[in-house]
Amino acid sequence: MHAAVLRYFEAVAEDGSIRRASERLHISPSAVNRQILKIEDYFGTPLFERRPDGMRLTDAGRLVLRHAQATLHDFTRLRGEIDQLRGILSGVVTIATLDSLTVHFLPDAAGRFIADHPAVQIRIVACDPMEIVHSLGQGNADLGLTFSPARQGGITVVHDIPCPMHAIMRPDHALAARSALTLEDCGASRLLYQDSSSSMQAFFGPEMDAFKRAHEPAVVSNTLAALKHLLLQGAGVAFYTRMGFTEELASGRLVAVPLKDERLSRLRLGLIAPSDRRPTLAAEAMTEHLQEALVRFAAARG
């Protein structure tokens, strides 16, 4: 079908490689390449630059990709509407999210959703905050969970909740009994940093950036799982929101001390969606489900 050919094209554009696209699609590289050549022959112009480091879209290729994404989105919605006539909610929902939300919050919410809607497939992709915004803008995700961005074209903030930054540590740490801390209060402790892109500064502000430059960490990791294990061992202090530590905080194995920094104490977590395209029925249902989950989380925290 036309949709299948467009999926091949979209996969090569996203992966920058026929081989990687074929692995994702579970189709032979030669079959993918034949379809790309057919599309290029139809339009009479190259749609990709073949480089040693991979496939890169030409200007014409970017136009085709925009058409492919819009067509595939509409086709997915059509399938969902037809399934709805049979009383089935179906489709694929891609959620771009902060790494910390992949530990408890989002798996719990996704588990409840697929228990009610087993024909829906959920894709969860962990990204940096601004990467999440860009992913929605480029049509690579249906929903995003990130620190609320400034209002911008193409993005709607569906719902947001307070999500302040805390100093996370074991209850036997010397700072654990404090009611609140400044960043400098934590400077003498061993520090555990989440390795992240410079896009974080837009949300965390210059104070956090300056603090990190002035204080060398004991450990840097790009995954929360590794740092959480170290925190539980008493290896030091890390800076996170509470959302990735709900079980550990509830059990008392870790504590979260609020930070006094105005920027960090006023962070908000936002559920965002594209404003320039109509969501699929599955994405609409997931949007409502995640909004309710955020409301429950905020209410439980008081």
Side-chain angles (χ1 to χ4, degrees):
M1 290 184 68
H2 182 57
V5 175
L6 294 181
R7 282 197 184 90
Y8 296 170
F9 183 89
E10 181 186 45
V12 174
E14 289 177 351
D15 294 335
S17 162
I18 287 177
R19 178 185 58 79
R20 288 195 294 271
S22 70
E23 290 173 353
R24 171 152 56 113
L25 296 166
H26 305 292
I27 299 169
S28 71
S30 60
V32 174
N33 189 49
R34 277 197 303 273
Q35 295 301 328
I36 298 300
L37 292 173
K38 281 183 181 180
I39 299 174
E40 291 183 320
D41 182 63
Y42 177 82
F43 287 110
T45 188
L47 302 178
F48 290 95
E49 295 178 23
R50 275 76 172 174
R51 299 179 178 180
D53 62 343
M55 307 275 282
R56 295 293 180 271
L57 287 168
T58 63
D59 288 342
R62 281 187 279 275
L63 292 175
V64 174
L65 177 62
R66 194 174 351 177
H67 165 77
Q69 290 175 329
T71 302
L72 290 170
H73 178 79
D74 289 345
F75 182 74
T76 300
R77 183 173 178 91
L78 173 63
R79 287 193 59 178
E81 289 173 344
I82 291 173
D83 282 343
Q84 188 182 46
L85 295 175
R86 301 186 292 132
I88 299 171
L89 184 68
S90 69
V92 178
V93 181
T94 301
I95 305 168
T97 182
L98 300 172
D99 177 55
S100 59
L101 301 186
T102 66
V103 181
H104 299 299
F105 176 80
L106 197 47
D108 289 347
R112 291 192 298 270
F113 186 85
I114 60 176
D116 294 333
H117 307 292
V120 175
Q121 180 189 111
I122 299 172
R123 295 181 66 241
I124 298 172
V125 183
C127 310
D128 286 330
M130 284 308 298
E131 206 180 328
I132 295 169
V133 177
H134 295 153
S135 186
L136 266 68
Q138 294 166 2
N140 297 326
D142 299 290
L143 295 168
L145 283 163
T146 185
F147 296 114
S148 288
R151 298 300 191 267
Q152 63 182 72
I155 298 296
T156 295
V157 179
V158 178
H159 187 75
D160 66 3
I161 62 171
C163 198
M165 189 70 68
H166 290 71
I168 310 293
M169 65 197 78
R170 273 210 336 200
D172 57 357
H173 191 281
L175 299 175
R178 300 276 291 273
S179 60
L181 294 165
T182 65
L183 288 172
E184 286 304 322
D185 288 336
C186 304
S189 301
R190 285 178 300 182
L191 299 169
L192 313 177
Y193 291 164
Q194 172 101 18
D195 184 24
S196 57
S197 76
S198 59
S199 74
M200 289 287 195
Q201 186 176 353
F203 301 92
F204 296 166
E207 290 80 7
M208 175 66 87
D209 191 53
F211 177 82
K212 286 189 171 184
R213 287 199 305 270
H215 297 84
E216 288 292 325
V219 178
V220 177
S221 175
N222 65 350
T223 68
L224 172 61
L227 295 184
K228 180 182 290 191
H229 190 70
L230 288 164
L231 286 168
L232 289 167
Q233 290 179 337
V237 174
F239 303 112
Y240 280 101
T241 73
R242 297 173 61 93
M243 295 195 78
F245 300 87
T246 51
E247 291 183 1
E248 293 79 12
L249 295 174
S251 66
R253 289 180 291 159
L254 292 174
V255 298
V257 182
L259 291 171
K260 295 179 182 178
D261 179 89
E262 184 175 358
R263 183 82 166 261
L264 299 176
S265 65
R266 294 189 177 183
L267 284 174
R268 298 185 71 85
L269 177 73
L271 172 62
I272 61 175
S275 60
D276 55 0
R277 65 178 183 269
R278 192 179 178 196
T280 64
L281 298 180
E284 284 182 348
M286 177 56 83
T287 300
E288 183 177 345
H289 181 76
L290 288 177
Q291 185 172 352
E292 292 172 353
L294 287 172
V295 170
R296 285 195 302 271
F297 182 87
R301 239 184 39 210

